[in-house]
Amino acid sequence: MTQTSTSTKTDTSLLSLTIAPACVLRGQNALARSREAIARLGKRPLIVGGSNSLATAKPFLQPILQGAGAGGARADTGARAGTGARADTGARAGTGAPPLQFAEIAYGTDCSEMSLANLREAAATHEADFIIGVGGGKALDAAKLLAYQCQIPIATIPTSAATCAAWTALSNIYSEQGAFQYDVTLARCPDLLILDYDLIQTAPQRTLVAGIGDAIAKWYEASVSSGHSEQTMIVSAVQQARILRDILFQKSAIALQEPGSETWQEVTDAVVLLAGVIGGIGGAQCRTVAAHAVHNGLTHLLASHGTLHGEKVAYGILVQLRLEEMLQNNQLAATARQQLLKFYGEIGLPQTLDSLGLGDISLTELQRSAEIACNPNSDIHRLPFKVVPEQLMAAMVSTTAPVGELKVKN
């Protein structure tokens, strides 16, 4: 009789995925129709955003605040000095909706540790039971991290389609000077995301162009880091990244010519929603590789602060493809780079350091940026080959080089 072993190898790893917000509401005039969903989160929201975003969103938010009972007899109660928060109370008689007592505060110029300390003080002063984040990527990152630290729900309301920050369980922390420091993985995605096409359309078109650059990076980063994976969820994320790329190639130019159109809405969905899905399903390795590492390095140069996140990421994709050409003689990467250069030219994304406003930086500054992008904890090391600062610098100054030029040996 043959004895058969019944022992099996036990996998002790635990995979935790924060894939999506609990609820997503999208459409024209979506905010005005989101009153009940907002009110379910609590009664004392702290509204966090940038100064401009709060002003822009005010006409869109007012129906929610009034309809939920916070806009009738309006009274400024005042907040603790120094927090910059303004509290408003009051309930419209006869609405039948739960009253909201809200305060609002501008997060500052960056999602920094100092900014977060001020936000926590404002939340405590107001006794906030949930957060409403309003604005672009940094404002939403600050609002999400505040909600996470206070252990209260959050609704995110993007005012532009510049990033997928309204969706993700991630916040990036910057210095007071705007230099990327580190990121924080959050316990969950937002409890509610409201994508109001009318509000998004108030943003400059440049923000959507930047969002396209940030979103299309998902394919180039996920495919190089995870394209050979056989894990079901990662395979799914990579394939969705390919679909996202194809949507953006096919529809971006038309969307930019027809703001508010159905095609424009589809591109907005792709940038704000689908890009977030990919990072949620695939995890960190499907979110950021070399393109985002280049962005992080560039933020340490003061001259880069006039450009948007997605613009720097879009340039970083070209740098990543250039590295694949130079260090691996990858002809597919060379072809992809030429395809992207044409696409960038059509929609207005930057192709070089000069088009990022960095044409006059010194060699020392370029080297500093490259060294930061190559630090030991950098996402650039998710590439399937080693990269050192000198090689990265060579790629950064040759993003528009003809195919086959400037090969660098490992």
Side-chain angles (χ1 to χ4, degrees):
M1 181 175 176
T2 304
Q3 185 174 6
T4 304
S5 173
T6 58
S7 64
T8 58
K9 183 178 180 180
T10 302
D11 184 359
T12 59
S13 62
L14 179 65
L15 176 64
S16 176
L17 293 176
T18 47
I19 294 177
C23 178
V24 177
L25 301 176
R26 64 183 176 92
Q28 293 178 314
N29 202 29
L31 265 173
R33 295 183 288 164
S34 302
R35 182 176 67 216
E36 292 183 6
I38 287 276
R40 281 197 293 268
L41 297 181
K43 296 182 179 180
R44 298 184 62 85
L46 177 66
I47 305 172
V48 177
S51 298
N52 293 336
S53 296
L54 289 172
T56 300
K58 187 173 183 179
F60 295 87
L61 279 168
Q62 203 62 35
I64 296 177
L65 302 174
Q66 290 177 344
R74 182 169 172 172
D76 291 330
T77 62
R80 183 180 299 173
T83 66
R86 187 181 72 223
D88 297 284
T89 64
R92 175 175 294 179
T95 62
L100 288 182
Q101 296 180 316
F102 67 93
E104 63 180 34
I105 182 170
Y107 75 100
T109 56
D110 278 291
C111 178
S112 66
E113 292 180 351
M114 183 179 295
S115 171
L116 284 159
N118 291 335
L119 293 176
R120 288 194 298 272
E121 182 180 2
T125 299
H126 180 59
E127 298 181 350
D129 58 4
F130 75 103
I131 304 297
I132 300 176
V134 178
K138 289 184 177 181
L140 296 179
D141 277 0
K144 289 186 298 183
L145 186 50
L146 173 65
Y148 171 69
Q149 291 175 340
C150 295
Q151 298 184 348
I152 55 180
I154 179 169
T156 53
I157 304 171
T159 56
S160 76
T163 72
C164 60
W167 182 283
T168 59
L170 186 76
S171 290
N172 290 326
I173 305 299
Y174 295 81
S175 71
E176 287 296 302
Q177 293 72 40
F180 175 82
Q181 301 293 297
Y182 59 93
D183 57 46
V184 179
T185 300
L186 309 178
R188 64 178 189 269
C189 292
D191 300 272
L192 174 64
L193 189 165
I194 304 171
L195 181 60
D196 188 315
Y197 295 135
D198 299 296
L199 177 57
I200 296 291
Q201 203 175 338
T202 66
Q205 183 164 270
R206 179 186 176 188
T207 59
L208 177 56
V209 173
I212 292 167
D214 188 36
I216 206 168
K218 291 290 187 290
W219 164 250
Y220 298 94
E221 294 188 296
S223 61
V224 73
S225 69
S226 310
H228 299 294
S229 175
E230 295 182 358
Q231 297 179 41
T232 297
M233 301 303 286
I234 293 178
V235 170
S236 173
V238 172
Q239 291 307 308
Q240 290 194 62
R242 178 183 56 79
I243 292 168
L244 174 60
R245 176 204 63 183
D246 292 347
I247 289 172
L248 296 177
F249 273 152
Q250 294 164 12
K251 299 184 178 183
S252 292
I254 298 171
L256 294 169
Q257 292 168 8
E258 302 174 357
S261 66
E262 184 176 337
T263 301
W264 178 90
Q265 292 177 12
E266 290 167 355
V267 169
T268 297
D269 286 352
V271 169
V272 180
L273 308 181
L274 181 53
V277 172
I278 293 161
I281 293 175
Q285 66 194 66
C286 287
R287 279 197 297 263
T288 56
V289 188
H292 278 79
V294 169
H295 160 275
N296 295 343
L298 290 176
T299 64
H300 288 256
L301 305 182
L302 185 61
S304 77
H305 293 176
T307 54
L308 301 176
H309 171 86
E311 293 171 333
K312 290 190 277 284
V313 171
Y315 162 77
I317 304 170
L318 299 176
V319 175
Q320 176 178 305
L321 292 170
R322 192 74 182 109
L323 286 169
E324 294 178 65
E325 289 177 69
M326 297 187 319
L327 303 182
Q328 291 192 309
N329 194 26
N330 187 326
Q331 295 306 301
L332 288 177
T335 301
R337 181 170 60 88
Q338 295 303 315
Q339 182 184 34
L340 275 183
L341 288 171
K342 182 176 183 295
F343 177 64
Y344 285 11
E346 291 173 351
I347 68 170
L349 281 169
Q351 303 177 359
T352 62
L353 284 170
D354 188 55
S355 59
L356 276 172
L358 299 173
D360 295 329
I361 63 171
S362 67
L363 183 62
T364 300
E365 289 175 307
L366 181 64
Q367 182 171 1
R368 177 169 174 252
S369 175
E371 287 175 348
I372 291 169
C374 291
N375 76 56
N377 296 321
S378 171
D379 295 328
I380 203 169
H381 301 302
R382 292 195 175 105
L383 288 170
F385 50 86
K386 183 179 179 181
V387 178
V388 298
E390 292 74 19
Q391 293 166 333
L392 181 57
M393 291 169 66
M396 292 174 73
V397 298
S398 63
T399 49
T400 59
V403 173
E405 283 196 5
L406 194 62
K407 290 188 174 65
V408 178
K409 293 181 179 180
N410 286 305

